[in-house]
């Protein structure tokens, strides 16, 4: 009994080690390109500012710029290493799964990164430009009767905010996989999902209000696609159950025919 347990521990340590090595290599690769990646993330703010001259981001501590680039390198390295991390996870849990369980997991592994990219793209190309324009609307230009109010954002705060939005939208777009996975293991039912639509919509509204900037467009940009993904999940689950029911009826008919013979 102890030998298989020790073998599992050794295998787990090996997979974690390979995942950490992949993450470390990703960080090393991304760090020299951190300024270019940061410039790419700054593009929505630059466009919202109208490419005005004299605009800048500041850092107020000696180590802030270095730590910001390091954080960005970690973020980029994790994205680069994510397929390898998933592969190591699969190598650890895959041998212990049945064939039908493997057939269920493979579509999840393929679809999850695509849904994450869709959510991240929505945050970067839609939500951020609208939100930055809203926040910049509080600026007061130079006048003869008073002092101007102008944004001079810190680079670390900006990076934290935009990474938070990208990750939040990417993770929220995993909703269909979460629903289908919980339904496959019996925690959620199709009837329950249909009956509790209004509660699901309320939860989506609350989540959107918490993780998005406090303007009008940003929450709607998350509420509408998330609820659409909820309905798509219900539809996919309906189709899946119909297919299972059809295969079950066909199996019973084949069994009866074989018995009669």
């Amino acid at each position: 009994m102890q030998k298989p347990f020790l073998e599992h521990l050794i295998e787990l340590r090996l997979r974690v080690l390979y995942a950490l090595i992949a993450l470390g290599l990703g960080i090393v690769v991304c760090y020299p390109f951190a300024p270019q990646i940061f410039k790419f993330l700054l593009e929505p703010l630059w466009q919202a500012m109208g490419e005005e001259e004299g605009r800048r981001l500041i850092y107020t501590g000696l180590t802030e710029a270095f730590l910001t680039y390091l954080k960005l390198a970690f973020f980029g390295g994790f994205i680069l290493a994510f397929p390898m991390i998933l592969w190591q996870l699969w190598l650890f849990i895959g041998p212990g799964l049945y064939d039908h369980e493997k057939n269920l997991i493979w579509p999840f592994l393929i679809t999850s990164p695509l849904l994450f990219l869709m959510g991240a793209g929505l945050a970067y190309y839609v939500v951020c430009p609208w939100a930055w324009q809203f926040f910049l609307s509080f600026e007061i230009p130079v006048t003869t009767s008073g002092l101007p109010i102008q944004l001079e954002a810190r680079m670390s705060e900006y990076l934290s905010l935009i990474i938070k939005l990208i990750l939040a939208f990417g993770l929220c777009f995993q909703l269909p996989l979460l629903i289908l996975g919980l339904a496959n293991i019996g925690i959620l039912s199709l009837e329950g999902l249909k009956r509790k639509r209004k509660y699901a919509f309320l939860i989506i509204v609350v989540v959107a209000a918490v993780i998005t900037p406090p303007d009008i467009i940003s929450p709607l940009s998350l509420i509408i696609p998330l609820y659409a993904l909820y309905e798509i999940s219900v539809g996919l689950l309906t189709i899946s159950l119909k297919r299972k029911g059809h295969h079950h009826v066909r199996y019973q008919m084949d069994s009866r025919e074989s018995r009669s013979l």
Side-chain angles (χ1 to χ4, degrees):
M1 295 296 292
Q2 292 180 353
K3 185 175 180 180
F5 179 72
L6 290 176
E7 289 179 354
H8 282 303
L9 285 180
I10 294 172
E11 180 71 14
L12 177 61
R13 184 181 66 178
L14 184 64
R15 298 306 166 196
V16 171
L17 179 62
Y18 286 156
L20 291 176
I21 291 174
L23 177 61
L25 291 176
I27 294 172
V28 171
V29 169
C30 287
Y31 184 77
F33 302 99
Q36 289 78 9
I37 300 173
F38 191 68
K39 184 178 180 181
F40 172 75
L41 294 177
L42 274 176
E43 190 65 25
L45 181 60
W46 178 239
Q47 294 293 334
M49 287 178 172
E51 301 181 4
E52 296 180 15
E53 294 184 3
R55 289 289 193 172
R56 62 179 183 174
L57 256 66
I58 63 172
Y59 64 94
T60 57
L62 288 175
T63 61
E64 183 177 344
F66 167 73
L67 293 177
T68 299
Y69 286 149
L70 189 62
K71 182 178 180 180
L72 189 56
F74 182 87
F75 178 65
F78 179 78
I79 293 176
L80 287 180
F82 188 68
M84 184 63 176
I85 295 173
L86 279 182
W87 179 245
Q88 294 302 316
L89 179 63
W90 172 255
L91 290 178
F92 180 71
I93 66 174
L97 299 177
Y98 295 105
D99 289 337
H100 69 279
E101 293 173 333
K102 293 180 180 179
N103 293 332
L104 287 175
I105 288 180
W106 268 113
F108 281 71
L109 293 178
I110 296 173
T111 309
S112 179
L114 296 177
L115 289 174
F116 184 89
L117 289 176
M118 289 174 59
L122 179 64
Y124 179 83
Y125 290 106
V126 179
V127 175
C128 287
W130 279 101
W132 299 171
Q133 287 181 359
F134 171 76
F135 293 131
L136 287 170
S137 66
F138 293 95
E139 289 188 323
I140 298 178
V142 178
T143 61
T144 58
S145 60
L147 293 174
I149 297 177
Q150 188 178 42
L151 172 69
E152 287 192 352
R154 290 175 54 192
M155 59 185 302
S156 60
E157 290 179 351
Y158 177 80
L159 180 65
S160 297
L161 179 58
I162 194 168
I163 286 181
K164 174 188 172 184
L165 285 174
I166 289 174
L167 289 178
F169 273 72
L171 292 177
C172 285
F173 267 60
Q174 305 298 309
L175 179 64
L177 301 183
L178 178 63
I179 290 176
L180 293 176
L182 293 177
N184 280 321
I185 61 179
I187 295 179
L188 295 178
S189 65
L190 179 60
E191 293 76 14
L193 291 172
K194 291 180 177 180
R195 189 172 60 253
K196 298 179 179 179
R197 277 188 169 99
K198 56 183 179 181
Y199 300 108
F201 182 77
L202 180 60
I203 292 173
I204 290 173
V205 170
V206 172
V207 170
V210 170
I211 67 176
T212 58
D215 61 297
I216 298 176
I217 300 298
S218 299
L220 289 177
S221 300
L222 184 59
I223 292 171
I224 294 173
L226 263 190
Y227 188 72
L229 288 173
Y230 181 86
E231 292 295 340
I232 291 173
S233 303
V234 172
L236 291 175
L237 186 58
T238 303
I239 296 172
S240 176
L241 291 177
K242 286 182 179 179
R243 287 183 177 178
K244 287 182 179 179
H246 175 73
H247 290 316
H248 181 68
V249 171
R250 187 174 180 179
Y251 174 76
Q252 288 182 335
M253 293 177 61
D254 292 340
S255 299
R256 290 174 183 174
E257 291 177 358
S258 62
R259 288 177 182 176
S260 61
L261 292 175

